[in-house]
Amino acid sequence: MPDQPRSQDPRRSVPRTDALLAEPPVRAAEQRLGRALVKSAVTGVQDRIRAGELTPDDALTAVLDALPPTASSLRPVLNATGVLVHTNLGRAPLSPAAVEAIIAAAGTTDVEIDLATGRRGPRGEAAIGALLDAVPAAEAAIVVNNCAAALSLVATAFGQGRELVLARGELVEIGDGFRIPELLESTGARLREVGTTNRVTAEDYRRALGPDTGAVLKVHPSNFVVRGFTRAVEVDELAGALAGTGVPLVADVGSGLIRAHPLLPEEPDLQSTLAMGADLVLSSGDKLLGGPQAGLVLGRADLVQRLRRHPLYRALRVDKTTLAALEATLRGPLPPVQQMLAAEPSGLRARADAVAGRLTAAGIDAHVVDAPARVGGGGAPEHPLAGVAISLPAGFAEPLRRGARPVVGYLEDGRTLLNMRSLAPADDDALADAVLEVGRRWT
Ligand SMILES: *Cc1c(COP(=O)(O)O)cnc(C)c1O
C-alpha cells in the first residue's frame, strides 16, 4: 500500500484514545474517577482537536482540565443567599465533626454489632443516646429518613383505617407541592379536621374524639402565619384536654430546635414541646438542628416502640452515615447553622468590611449594606435575622453562580447582594476570590 501523504492538518493527527488513557496523570485520574468519566473527557478533547479548537500538543493538558473534580457532579456552593437553611442548597451544611464521622462510618462499621461480644447489637444506639441526652424530656427516640417519613410512619401506625384529628389551620403545604394532609391521607388515615382556618378551641378537639381516633396531630405551620382574629390551641392546653383519653398527642415541630431560642420566639422546640405534654415530637434533622437529612421521633417509650416495630419503619430507617453525622452533630462542636444563628451583627460587619476591602482595592464597585437574613427551611417566617451583605453590580450574580467556586447570592434593587450570615467565616476568602475572579474576567 502506498504511503499516505503526510497531512499538515492537525485534525489528521488526533491523539489516539488508548495513548491518552495511558498517560500517567490520566491513569491516576481513572483510579479516582473511573473509566467512563475519564474516557468522556478524552473523547471531548479529541472532538475539539478535530474541530480545530485545540492543537494535538495541548491534548493532555486539555484532558486534565476537562476532568470533573469528583465522580459525583454535585459541587460545593457558597451560600450567600442569607437563608441559613436553604432547601435548594442542601439545607444544613454539616459540621467538620459530622463530616469526619461520615468518612469514618463510610466503610464497614460497627453500626449493628457489639464488638465486645461479637453479637448483633441495636442499630444506631449511640445516635439515639445523643438525642436523648440532648432532649431529656424524651424517654425514647427513633430516626427515619426525613420529617415527612416520620409523619407517614406515625400516620400509618396510629391512623391507618382510623382518624387523625388536626386543626384546619394546620393543613399546610410545606414547599415544592408537599402537602401535609395529602401525605397523611396517602397512608390510609382519615383526617378529622377541627376548627376553622383561623380559629380552633380545645373543645373542638374534644368533640372530635371517638372510638376511631388514632391520634391528635399538631403541625407547626412553619412557613406561614395567620394574623388577626385567630386562636390556636397550644400543646399544653391540648395535652390537658386529652388527659385520660388515651389518645396520643403528636406534634410535628418541623425545624428541630432542641431548646427555645431567643431569636426565634415563635419556633417550637423539641424539649419544651415534650415538657408541655406532647406524647411524641417529630422534626427534621437538617434544619435548625444543623445535622444530616433525617426525621427525628422522640417521646413516650411505648409509642416509640410501636413505631419501631411497625413494618414500615424498616423502609424508612436511616443508613450508617446519617447515624454517624447525627451523633457527631449532637455531641460535637456547635454545627454551622447554629453558629450562623448565633452570629453577632458587629462580627458580620467586620467580615463584610474585610471582604469588601479586598474587592474595592481591585477596583470592584463593592460596598457593605445591612440586609436581613432568614432561617429558611420553613422556619420563623416572621422573624428576619439581622444580616450584612456585600453589594455588587447586578451583573455579578450570574457569573458568580457559574464560576469555578459557585456563589449563590440574590438580586435586590438592581444590585447583587452576598449575605454574610449564611456563610461560614472560613469561606470568606473563597468568597472574595470568587468575586475577584469575576471582576478580572470583566476588565
Ligand atoms: C420541613 C417540615 C417538614 C418536612 O420535613 P422534611 O425533613 O423535609 O421531610 C414537615 N413538617 C414541618 C412542620 C416542617 O417544617
Side-chain angles (χ1 to χ4, degrees):
M1 202 155 98
D3 279 348
Q4 296 278 127
R6 210 188 146 86
S7 169
Q8 295 304 107
D9 187 345
R11 282 172 284 189
R12 297 284 157 146
S13 47
V14 175
R16 292 163 50 103
T17 305
D18 51 1
L20 281 172
L21 286 174
E23 293 281 356
V26 180
R27 280 170 54 189
E30 190 180 324
Q31 294 288 313
R32 252 184 342 107
L33 300 171
R35 193 166 182 93
L37 288 174
V38 172
K39 213 168 157 186
S40 129
V42 165
T43 316
V45 166
Q46 289 170 325
D47 289 346
R48 288 166 65 199
I49 293 172
R50 266 182 223 109
E53 290 170 27
L54 289 173
T55 68
D57 288 345
D58 296 329
L60 178 57
T61 317
V63 167
L64 295 177
D65 281 349
L67 290 170
T70 65
S72 152
S73 60
L74 287 181
R75 298 165 66 192
V77 169
L78 294 173
N79 174 12
T81 61
V83 179
L84 273 46
V85 179
H86 199 302
T87 300
N88 304 149
L89 298 178
R91 290 201 184 153
L94 295 178
S95 67
V99 172
E100 228 174 75
I102 285 179
I103 293 170
T108 40
T109 183
D110 59 343
V111 65
E112 219 174 292
I113 190 172
D114 180 345
L115 292 174
T117 62
R119 296 217 180 86
R120 180 171 183 171
R123 185 183 175 87
E125 196 179 33
I128 300 292
L131 265 176
L132 298 181
D133 285 349
V135 185
E139 295 169 4
I142 50 172
V143 183
V144 290
N145 188 49
N146 56 15
C147 192
L151 270 172
S152 61
L153 181 58
V154 162
T156 307
F158 301 143
Q160 197 167 60
R162 311 190 68 198
E163 283 185 355
L164 297 175
V165 177
L166 91 158
R168 288 212 163 79
E170 295 175 8
L171 301 173
V172 294
E173 175 172 322
I174 298 288
D176 194 28
F178 167 45
R179 295 179 167 175
I180 300 254
E182 289 176 359
L183 176 130
L184 297 175
E185 284 179 322
S186 77
T187 67
R190 293 192 304 279
L191 296 192
R192 180 72 187 261
E193 302 171 16
V194 296
T196 61
T197 307
N198 55 329
R199 287 175 73 85
V200 66
T201 64
E203 186 52 29
D204 291 327
Y205 281 98
R206 243 188 324 257
R207 272 205 306 267
L209 301 182
D212 275 355
T213 308
V216 170
L217 231 59
K218 213 173 143 49
V219 177
H220 181 56
S222 291
N223 51 6
F224 87 109
V225 290
V226 188
R227 243 194 304 260
F229 184 53
T230 64
R231 191 181 188 305
V233 183
E234 294 310 325
V235 168
D236 44 0
E237 188 186 357
L238 195 46
L242 296 177
T245 63
V247 174
L249 171 56
V250 181
D252 171 8
V253 300
S255 80
L257 266 188
I258 300 258
R259 271 158 212 291
H261 196 288
L263 285 181
L264 307 170
E266 269 140 55
E267 201 60 30
D269 65 278
L270 298 166
Q271 171 69 17
S272 320
T273 306
L274 284 174
M276 281 195 292
D279 296 299
L280 289 176
V281 284
L282 318 180
S283 87
S284 298
D286 55 353
K287 292 181 178 172
L288 290 176
L289 186 77
Q293 180 188 303
L296 315 177
V297 183
L298 299 98
R300 251 170 62 190
D302 60 323
L303 299 178
V304 169
Q305 188 63 1
R306 263 174 73 188
L307 297 175
R308 190 197 306 280
R309 293 248 170 85
H310 194 283
L312 185 60
Y313 169 66
R314 185 64 168 75
L316 303 178
R317 72 176 195 186
V318 292
D319 81 317
K320 59 193 176 179
T321 58
T322 299
L323 291 167
L326 180 61
E327 182 186 356
T329 300
L330 290 161
R331 297 253 191 240
L334 216 55
V337 170
Q338 287 171 40
Q339 289 184 29
M340 290 167 189
L341 205 51
E344 291 291 342
S346 59
L348 293 170
R349 184 159 278 274
R351 289 169 52 200
D353 283 341
V355 172
R358 283 187 61 194
L359 305 181
T360 49
I364 293 174
D365 164 21
H367 55 268
V368 175
V369 295
D370 287 327
R374 282 184 298 132
V375 167
E382 295 290 277
H383 286 276
L385 306 166
V388 174
I390 316 270
S391 166
L392 298 167
F396 271 76
E398 193 197 330
L400 278 172
R401 217 170 51 237
R402 297 166 75 109
R405 183 78 198 268
V407 178
V408 178
Y410 54 108
L411 286 166
E412 207 169 270
D413 297 332
R415 300 283 292 180
T416 294
L417 297 192
L418 305 179
N419 199 306
M420 304 302 290
R421 186 135 194 177
S422 52
L423 283 160
D427 287 335
D428 288 359
D429 284 342
L431 179 76
D433 291 343
V435 180
L436 287 170
E437 177 60 31
V438 171
R440 259 196 297 279
R441 274 190 276 134
W442 264 10
T443 48

